């Protein structure tokens, strides 16, 4: 029986541990925080994605489409709240129609159930929406991802799960890997790094040179004071020249409606507010050449995102393109999330999941959305790599 140490107790780390345990391995999970799913898992939109946006043949596409099915199945089997509600992607002008049609073609290529509908048909789903045409995506759902984490933890009750256990040092010795923690040294046969916002740092601790650097982007949300304006999920047609989807409206399981996110550079790896600041984190971002190359490429977009961060009026105007009834005073601040975005030195954002291996080590270096949706599928892929 192998002993595998997994660093990171978010949904990806716990899913990997669960998959390894199901294959007969003994598992230790190290999580630096005091509860599971403390960061990206606990601060996302709780959407089970359909696999609509991702390049055909990519890991994101394959694992999102398969993950949609496996995650919904897991939730239903373990009494985790989930609802398959579908969503609308709406073109608000004729200029957006080519992008909408391209998205429909990508959905077909990825095997995602979706169809183009008229503005009148769109308003049958969302009476307040404004569009010239829309794409109806049937398999998108909403879920409680922290509850998924709790279900995974329950399944791992016979294994070694440690909270308040950051990895302080890592070394390989005698064919084993040793991880120093405040609770002592864990000695294992294989190391799996699922540390999310700190995945590149853990890789360097383990002696690996990571292919990309984690740059944190904060996504800020509002809650809609009048949730009756939105029945389900309403998304814009994404701009293919930009790395993020744009602000959208998402009905949650409790009936509330969350609006967002925008995307601004966080001043700390776990920087959920502007005042969350780390000199070390900012210095790392400033010294990284990719940061400045990205900033030059998206200077205007970045400025618009920052301005929207400080202006509720601008945020409301972005939402009103989709639902004209939304006003500035409808928006109530909600908790933000931070996306661990992997960036290469040339300033390009890593577009797909990125996993890097070394003898006795597997490092998940880029697992942004739809990683929560695809976590059970990512886990199978990572578990296979531990055998290579």
């Amino acid at each position: 029986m192998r002993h595998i140490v997994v660093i990171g107790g978010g949904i990806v780390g716990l899913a990997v541990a669960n998959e390894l345990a199901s294959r007969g391995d003994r598992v230790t999970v190290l999580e630096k925080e005091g509860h599971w799913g403390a960061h990206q898992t606990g601060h996302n939109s709780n959407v089970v994605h359909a696999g609509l946006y991702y390049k055909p043949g990519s890991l994101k596409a394959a694992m999102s489409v398969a993950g949609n099915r496996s995650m919904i199945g897991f939730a239903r089997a373990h009494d985790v709240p989930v609802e398959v509600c579908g969503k609308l992607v709406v073109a608000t002008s004729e200029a957006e129609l080519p992008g909408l049609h391209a998205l429909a073609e990508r959905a077909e290529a990825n095997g995602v159930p979706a169809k183009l509908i008229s503005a009148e048909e769109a308003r049958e789903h969302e009476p307040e929406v404004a569009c010239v045409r829309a794409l109806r995506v049937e398999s998108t759902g909403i879920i409680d991802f922290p509850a998924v984490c709790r279900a995974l933890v329950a399944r791992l009750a016979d294994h070694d799960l440690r909270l308040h256990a950051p990895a302080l040092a890592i070394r390989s010795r005698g064919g084993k890997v040793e991880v120093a923690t405040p609770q002592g040294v864990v000695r294992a046969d294989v190391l799996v790094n699922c540390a999310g916002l700190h995945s590149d740092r853990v890789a360097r601790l383990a002696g690996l040179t990571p292919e990309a650097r984690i740059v944190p982007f904060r996504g800020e949300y509002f809650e809609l004071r009048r949730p009756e304006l939105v029945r389900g999920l309403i998304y814009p047609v994404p701009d293919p020249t930009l790395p993020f989807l744009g602000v959208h409206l998402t009905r949650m399981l409790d009936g509330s409606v969350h609006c967002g996110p925008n995307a601004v550079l966080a001043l700390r790896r776990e920087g959920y507010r502007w005042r969350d600041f780390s000199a070390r984190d900012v210095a790392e971002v400033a010294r990284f050449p990719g940061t400045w190359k990205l900033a030059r490429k998206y200077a205007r977009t970045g400025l618009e995102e920052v301005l929207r961060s400080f202006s509720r009026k601008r945020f409301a105007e972005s939402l009103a393109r989709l639902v004209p009834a939304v006003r500035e005073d409808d928006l109530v601040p909600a908790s933000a999330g931070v996306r661990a975005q992997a960036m290469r030195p040339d300033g390009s954002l890593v577009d797909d999941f990125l996993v890097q291996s070394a003898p006795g080590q597997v490092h998940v270096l880029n697992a942004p959305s739809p990683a929560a949706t695809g976590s059970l599928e990512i886990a199978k892929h990572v578990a296979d790599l531990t055998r290579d």
Side-chain angles (χ1 to χ4, degrees), residues 101-115:
H101 284 92
L103 210 55
E105 292 172 1
R106 179 158 285 192
E108 183 176 5
N110 287 342
V112 175
K115 67 174 183 176

Side-chain angles (χ1 to χ4, degrees), residues 223-232 251 255-257 330:
E223 187 173 326
L224 203 59
R225 199 185 300 274
R226 292 187 290 158
E228 65 272 14
L229 295 177
V230 178
R231 290 181 176 178
R251 178 170 288 276
S256 65
V257 173
D330 286 323

Side-chain angles (χ1 to χ4, degrees), residues 324-338:
V326 173
R327 303 186 302 260
E328 181 181 352
D329 59 4
D330 286 323
L331 302 184
V332 180
S335 59
V338 178

Side-chain angles (χ1 to χ4, degrees), residues 19-360:
E19 180 66 25
L20 291 166
S22 74
R23 298 185 184 193
D25 294 312
R26 183 164 57 93
V27 180
T28 295
V29 181
L30 304 178
E31 167 54 47
K32 72 183 182 68
E33 303 295 356
H35 64 280
W36 307 106
H39 291 294
Q40 292 186 102
T41 305
H43 292 82
N44 68 28
S45 60
N46 282 313
V47 173
V48 184
H49 292 284
L52 175 69
Y53 300 102
Y54 316 116
K55 182 180 178 181
S58 66
L59 286 174
K60 273 189 177 183
M63 292 184 183
S64 183
V65 174
N68 178 281
R69 295 189 293 267
S70 60
M71 181 55 65
I72 290 169
F74 181 92
R76 289 172 173 165
H78 293 84
D79 296 322
V80 172
V82 65
E83 178 186 343
V84 181
C85 55
K87 80 173 181 181
L88 288 181
V89 182
V90 299
T92 58
S93 69
E94 297 287 335
E96 292 181 336
L97 286 177
L100 188 70
H101 284 92
L103 210 55
E105 292 172 1
R106 179 158 285 192
E108 183 176 5
N110 287 342
V112 175
K115 67 174 183 176
L116 289 164
I117 60 176
S118 67
E120 292 75 18
E121 290 171 312
R123 283 190 285 272
E124 292 175 7
H125 294 283
E126 294 287 353
E128 298 290 339
V129 78
C131 67
V132 295
R133 207 163 188 207
L135 186 68
R136 174 68 181 172
V137 185
E138 296 296 342
S139 56
T140 301
I142 50 177
I143 196 171
D144 184 345
F145 280 127
V148 173
C149 287
R150 293 191 291 271
L152 290 167
V153 167
R155 287 174 58 85
L156 291 163
D158 294 334
H159 293 263
D160 182 15
L161 307 183
R162 304 187 188 186
L163 296 169
H164 304 291
L168 303 177
I170 302 170
R171 69 178 180 183
S172 297
R173 187 171 67 170
K176 302 285 186 178
V177 62
E178 296 179 344
V179 182
T181 79
Q183 303 166 6
V185 175
V186 177
R187 195 163 188 259
D189 299 296
V190 180
L191 164 73
V192 178
N193 167 16
C194 298
L197 284 159
H198 298 276
S199 59
D200 57 338
R201 289 175 173 171
V202 169
R204 288 196 293 272
L205 270 183
L208 194 76
T209 300
E211 296 176 20
R213 175 76 58 86
I214 294 298
V215 177
F217 285 89
R218 183 172 60 256
E220 297 163 326
Y221 288 88
F222 285 92
E223 187 173 326
L224 203 59
R225 199 185 300 274
R226 292 187 290 158
E228 65 272 14
L229 295 177
V230 178
R231 290 181 176 178
L233 284 69
I234 305 174
Y235 282 58
V237 176
D239 184 337
T241 67
L242 299 178
F244 301 113
L245 292 179
V247 296
H248 44 269
L249 299 109
T250 305
R251 178 170 288 276
M252 312 298 279
L253 287 165
D254 63 2
S256 65
V257 173
H258 281 207
C259 314
N262 66 343
V264 294
L265 186 68
L267 302 180
R268 181 181 172 188
R269 292 239 176 163
E270 290 145 5
Y272 298 104
R273 301 160 299 182
W274 277 109
R275 64 177 178 271
D276 293 337
F277 176 82
S278 164
R280 174 194 178 188
D281 292 352
V282 170
E284 278 191 358
V285 170
R287 287 195 299 265
F288 186 56
T291 303
W292 301 104
K293 294 174 182 177
L294 181 78
R296 284 193 293 270
K297 184 176 181 180
Y298 295 113
R300 181 177 177 180
T301 300
L303 176 60
E304 290 174 354
E305 293 290 308
V306 171
L307 291 173
R308 186 164 56 194
S309 174
F310 287 100
S311 171
R312 194 173 308 190
K313 179 181 179 182
R314 283 178 178 266
F315 215 111
E317 288 172 349
S318 297
L319 296 167
R321 291 182 59 249
L322 310 176
V323 178
V326 173
R327 303 186 302 260
E328 181 181 352
D329 59 4
D330 286 323
L331 302 184
V332 180
S335 59
V338 178
R339 175 188 178 113
Q341 178 62 61
M343 184 187 298
R344 293 190 172 90
D346 65 1
S348 62
L349 301 180
V350 179
D351 188 50
D352 205 356
F353 298 141
L354 176 63
V355 182
Q356 194 172 336
S357 299

